[in-house]
Amino acid sequence: MKKLIIACLGAFILGTSISYGATYQSPIPVSTPSFDTDVLEHYNGDVEGINVHFDINKDGKVENVELQGSTGDWAVDTAIVEAVSTWRYVPATDSAGNPVEASKTEYIDLDV
């Protein structure tokens, strides 16, 4: 019984160490065009920047874009969401090199 417990414990430790040694590759930006800054011409808000959270699918396309707050200006908010929705990435990969979904938050500076 003691040998069985030691063998199981050894297998658990080996399996755990292998999974911790796995390499995850973060998504890499390929195309991240800026939003249409013409909308800032009439923007007189106090917000100097805003965080945008989004998902990157296995094809590297951006989905589920959400502002983390608001600039207070519908046109500016919409322009940011529309621009980020067009961004493309080399997708994140798991330890075996398979594409996986990822989430990311980026800061958009309104001081352009």
Side-chain angles (χ1 to χ4, degrees), residues 20 62 68 81:
Y20 285 143
V62 170
Q68 306 283 286
V81 170

Side-chain angles (χ1 to χ4, degrees), residues 55-68:
D55 298 324
I56 302 166
N57 70 20
K58 292 179 183 180
D59 294 328
K61 295 178 182 175
V62 170
E63 302 176 328
N64 307 317
V65 179
E66 295 180 11
L67 296 179
Q68 306 283 286

Side-chain angles (χ1 to χ4, degrees), residues 11-27:
F12 173 75
I13 291 171
L14 180 61
T16 305
S17 66
I18 290 172
S19 66
Y20 285 143
T23 303
Y24 168 84
Q25 176 65 47
S26 297

Side-chain angles (χ1 to χ4, degrees), residues 6 24 35 38 45-46 72 97 103 110:
I6 291 172
Y24 168 84
F35 66 97
D38 289 343
D46 295 331
S103 293
L110 298 177

Side-chain angles (χ1 to χ4, degrees), residues 23-32 53-62 87-94 98-106:
T23 303
Y24 168 84
Q25 176 65 47
S26 297
I28 300 167
V30 173
S31 174
T32 57
H53 183 81
F54 53 93
D55 298 324
I56 302 166
N57 70 20
K58 292 179 183 180
D59 294 328
K61 295 178 182 175
V62 170
W87 290 3
R88 297 294 176 261
Y89 286 79
V90 172
T93 55
D94 63 15
N98 300 313
V100 294
E101 295 178 354
S103 293
K104 193 165 179 64
T105 300
E106 289 286 336

Side-chain angles (χ1 to χ4, degrees), residues 5 8 11 15 18 22 36 38-40 45 49 62 64 82 84 92-93 95 97 105 111:
I5 293 172
C8 289
I18 290 172
D36 181 7
D38 289 343
V39 298
L40 293 177
V62 170
N64 307 317
E82 287 176 354
V84 173
T93 55
S95 61
T105 300
D111 233 3

